[in-house]
Amino acid sequence: MSTPNAVPVSLAEIARIAGVGRAAVSNWRRRHDSFPTRIGGTDVSPQFSLAEVEQWLRDNGKLKDIGGREFLWPRFEALGSRDESGLAIAESARLMRAPRARVSPSELSPAARELVSEAARLGRSEGPRETFEFLLQRWLETHVRQLSTTPSQLASLVTRIALAVRLSRGEGGLTVFDPACGTGHLSAAAMQEYDGSGLVVLGCERDPALAALACARLGFVTENREVRTEIATADALRDDPFAGVRADIALCNPPFNERDWGYEELATDQRWTHGLPPRTEPELAWVQHLLSHLKPGGAAVIVLPPAVASRKAGRRIRGSLLRTGMLRAVVALPPGSAQPHSVSLQLWVLRAAPDSPVSPAASQDALLVDATRFARPGAREPGPDWDALGAFVLSALEVLDHPDADLPESAVRVPLLDLLDDEVDVTPGRYTASSTEPSGIELAASWGRLGASLADLAGHVQYLSKLGFEAETPQATATVGDLVKAGALTLRAGQQPSETAAPSREAAVPLLTVPDLLMDGTPSGLLPVGSAHTIVEGGDVVVAGVVRAFKAWVHEGPPMALGPQLYALRVDQEKLDAHFLAGCLRAPANGRQAGTHASSSSRVDIRRLQVLQLPLEEQTAYAETFRRLTTFEALLAKADDLGKGLVSDVSDRLAAGGLTA
């Protein structure tokens, strides 16, 4: 057994350190008597000594060429306290940037202070900023249920919107304000998006650990730049540390649904120029807080839950925001844009009235933009198509200052008279739904595509229905394992990608995983070109080795990397036809026979899959039929999608009236 001071690590953490899947670690534990003994946890979730694991990995040649960060993080996690580990990471960052500085005698324990010194030394050797970002990301992942962060892509979009919408563009630089900055995602995005001089970034965060991490993050972003930053640790609503300060742009992703936001003590606060926010509407308090800090013509963008746009309690404040021209636009984001990922969050775009008589007057309407169609349900990680989403939203917002500009689809200008009713509902989908009904020309085109698909289906039905089969007679088969031994094919297993910086798209190969197959089959990851992973090329057969996603196909197109539980088979073309092999392998009965268990999450033993033993010349007819069967399956799916879409579109048109036949 290990000592009481041992740093515990789980099987998942060991797999991450070794750059393998968790199943591989479980296999090592089963096969090697020398594997470290469990020091804690349970039989289902055991924990092991980090030092013993590191020594075992080195002794058995299982440790890949990784930096010390992987071994450093479990020690931060072992500190136990979320706040202490966060403060320790922030203090480490400070020391990384200032080699001669000493650890501050703060709330940190002796163990934490010692760890801070080690982390600072490691960061200076392996890259200060990279080491800090690694530790910060692990900290955020560990405490994901307690924290709500703004994804970097959303932070960038929010900043670009604010910069585009603001009217105040003086020569004195830019002041950015974020009253609930968290770990500084929005502030960092503003510093990256604005490349001018005279940048001032002001932030506020009531959680000391988050505020310290925000300071650390911005410290790296400001390197080699003349930028003034100030992060205050305070409750911005109750005790505003920047009272009287005015900013060019304000960005905010505030806490949602907080009832204890200061309703009683702030009842007479001068910020509530549009009305006292009800106790159940804290988000509208943040909206007015942002407006109170804007310069004339300044812009604010705030991330809000969709209920704020329609809740009855907030209708009076929404009405005032609309009448005064402060609320310029509402953008409905696709689900998955930020936490909570199941909700279609909204961006409220606000702008303070300009003080110049030559500035354009606010138009008497509001822009409502429904961008929910940019969701990517097939992506491995939650999130929309950010490039397309950003281009669409920024294009739609151009009409705020150019009323004659054409609106893109799913964006609509709504007159105030239509909004200022008993509900004052500014939910974009309520007003854009009618504008997205398909036209007669679009319906005709859809019917034409469906007809062409059905015609193709009929041709394949005619061919496949004429297939004849002899009475059942035993057919000789060979397993994939036998064919590998005979040299008829080679078998390679996909691998768990190591956690490295994301490569540029120009120097990357797509990564396909089992979750991708369970969605739409589109690779959602990228790996650096030349990385030591299983790469398939055109003509290789790919097999998914799990029951719930079992399939086999011949890869076509550019090279692609395979993740865990995916396998690449490369045939000897003098012995096997790739399409014949894929057709034999993907037979459902074949997969059931080779499955290791009965559950849908179990694996398929690829080496046990059966393949007909036929001469190469006889394989050709089978290969052609397998191809037709695969095409038939794809046409069925396409016709199904087209048919469902037409049912939905025609139902909408019928419900809108105007039937002529």
Side-chain angles (χ1 to χ4, degrees), residues 63-293:
L63 195 60
K64 296 184 178 180
D65 185 18
I66 62 173
R69 304 170 196 161
E70 292 288 356
F71 293 105
L72 191 63
W73 165 246
R75 298 180 59 189
F76 277 97
E77 191 174 19
L79 292 176
S81 166
R82 187 209 75 165
D83 291 344
E84 184 171 37
S85 58
L87 291 170
I89 292 172
E91 181 66 8
S92 301
R94 186 182 70 84
L95 295 187
M96 291 176 200
R97 298 195 310 273
R100 297 183 180 180
R102 295 183 178 181
V103 180
S104 300
S106 60
E107 308 86 358
L108 300 179
S109 64
R113 290 199 293 270
E114 180 182 353
L115 182 56
V116 164
S117 297
E118 293 186 29
R121 287 194 294 271
L122 178 69
R124 288 193 290 268
S125 63
E126 295 193 359
R129 184 169 184 174
E130 294 79 6
T131 301
F132 167 72
E133 289 291 346
F134 171 85
L135 293 173
L136 174 61
Q137 187 58 37
R138 287 295 177 84
W139 187 80
L140 292 173
E141 291 172 357
T142 301
H143 304 291
V144 65
R145 295 187 178 182
Q146 305 171 36
L147 303 170
S148 180
T149 60
T150 307
S152 58
Q153 302 95 326
L154 177 58
S156 176
L157 176 59
V158 167
T159 303
R160 291 163 63 193
I161 291 173
L163 290 172
V165 170
R166 68 187 177 115
L167 292 176
S168 57
R169 302 176 186 272
E171 300 297 330
L174 182 80
T175 300
V176 181
F177 176 62
D178 182 355
C181 66
T183 54
H185 288 76
L186 286 167
S187 299
M191 296 167 69
Q192 292 165 349
E193 292 291 337
Y194 181 76
D195 57 2
S197 60
L199 179 61
V200 177
V201 177
L202 306 175
C204 184
E205 174 54 52
R206 66 187 180 189
D207 186 314
L210 298 184
L213 289 168
C215 288
R217 177 194 286 272
L218 299 186
F220 285 109
V221 181
T222 57
E223 288 180 332
N224 303 319
R225 291 186 62 183
E226 293 184 3
V227 179
R228 183 171 76 85
T229 64
E230 181 180 351
I231 303 297
T233 304
D235 185 328
L237 292 182
R238 285 188 167 93
D239 184 19
D240 185 3
F242 298 108
V245 173
R246 297 294 180 266
D248 296 285
I249 63 173
L251 317 171
C252 192
N253 185 357
F256 298 162
N257 302 320
E258 284 197 341
R259 298 297 178 92
D260 183 23
W261 57 270
Y263 174 77
E264 291 85 359
E265 58 262 47
L266 298 175
T268 59
D269 197 285
Q270 295 182 355
R271 287 171 292 182
W272 316 143
T273 57
H274 300 278
L276 171 64
R279 186 190 304 274
T280 58
E281 296 285 343
E283 295 85 3
L284 292 178
W286 287 104
V287 167
Q288 296 189 76
H289 179 69
L290 291 178
L291 288 171
S292 71
H293 281 280

Side-chain angles (χ1 to χ4, degrees), residues 546-548 550-551 584-599 602-605 608-610:
V546 287
V547 170
R548 69 183 187 279
F550 176 67
K551 63 186 300 186
C584 290
L585 295 179
R586 67 170 166 261
N590 205 0
R592 290 193 296 269
Q593 182 180 358
T596 55
H597 301 287
S599 70
S602 62
R603 300 181 182 181
V604 174
D605 188 343
R608 290 174 53 195
L609 292 173
Q610 302 287 325

Side-chain angles (χ1 to χ4, degrees), residues 502-517:
S504 65
R505 292 188 175 273
E506 294 76 13
V509 60
L511 171 67
L512 181 71
T513 64
V514 169
D516 295 335
L517 293 179

Side-chain angles (χ1 to χ4, degrees), residues 55 92 108 154 241 324 328 332 366 379 387 396-397 407 463 501 553 612 643 652:
Q55 188 61 49
S92 301
L108 300 179
L154 177 58
T324 56
R328 305 302 300 124
D387 292 338
L397 292 176
L407 279 171
Y463 174 87
W553 71 96
L612 279 173
D652 283 341

Side-chain angles (χ1 to χ4, degrees), residues 384-447:
D385 183 342
W386 288 106
D387 292 338
L389 172 63
F392 167 73
V393 172
L394 290 170
S395 172
L397 292 176
E398 288 181 359
V399 304
L400 292 178
D401 297 317
H402 302 88
D404 297 331
D406 293 331
L407 279 171
E409 181 184 350
S410 301
V412 61
R413 280 189 293 255
V414 183
L416 293 189
L417 289 177
D418 293 340
L419 291 171
L420 298 175
D421 54 14
D422 291 339
E423 296 179 344
V424 195
D425 189 340
V426 292
T427 303
R430 178 176 179 179
Y431 302 91
T432 60
S434 60
S435 66
T436 58
E437 290 178 0
S439 65
I441 296 176
E442 291 172 331
L443 281 177
S446 296
W447 282 116

Side-chain angles (χ1 to χ4, degrees), residues 318-518:
R318 292 195 299 271
S320 177
L321 291 170
L322 289 168
R323 282 190 295 270
T324 56
M326 299 289 189
L327 179 56
R328 305 302 300 124
V330 176
V331 179
L333 297 171
S337 297
Q339 294 173 287
H341 292 294
S342 60
V343 176
S344 173
L345 298 174
Q346 294 178 355
L347 298 181
W348 280 27
V349 181
L350 307 140
R351 189 163 66 191
D355 59 359
S356 172
V358 299
S359 299
S363 59
Q364 293 300 304
D365 56 32
L367 177 65
L368 303 181
V369 182
D370 186 350
T372 56
R373 61 188 174 92
F374 290 96
R376 290 190 303 174
R380 181 174 58 177
E381 299 293 337
D385 183 342
W386 288 106
D387 292 338
L389 172 63
F392 167 73
V393 172
L394 290 170
S395 172
L397 292 176
E398 288 181 359
V399 304
L400 292 178
D401 297 317
H402 302 88
D404 297 331
D406 293 331
L407 279 171
E409 181 184 350
S410 301
V412 61
R413 280 189 293 255
V414 183
L416 293 189
L417 289 177
D418 293 340
L419 291 171
L420 298 175
D421 54 14
D422 291 339
E423 296 179 344
V424 195
D425 189 340
V426 292
T427 303
R430 178 176 179 179
Y431 302 91
T432 60
S434 60
S435 66
T436 58
E437 290 178 0
S439 65
I441 296 176
E442 291 172 331
L443 281 177
S446 296
W447 282 116
R449 289 192 295 271
L450 178 61
S453 294
L454 293 176
D456 289 341
L457 270 174
H460 283 78
V461 167
Q462 186 176 10
Y463 174 87
L464 294 171
S465 64
K466 293 180 180 179
L467 294 176
F469 298 93
E470 298 178 358
E472 292 188 8
T473 56
Q475 295 287 329
T477 61
T479 65
V480 168
D482 294 334
L483 294 173
V484 171
K485 292 178 181 178
L489 57 84
T490 59
L491 174 64
R492 294 167 296 147
Q495 304 169 36
Q496 177 71 33
S498 58
E499 289 199 2
T500 57
S504 65
R505 292 188 175 273
E506 294 76 13
V509 60
L511 171 67
L512 181 71
T513 64
V514 169
D516 295 335
L517 293 179
L518 293 173

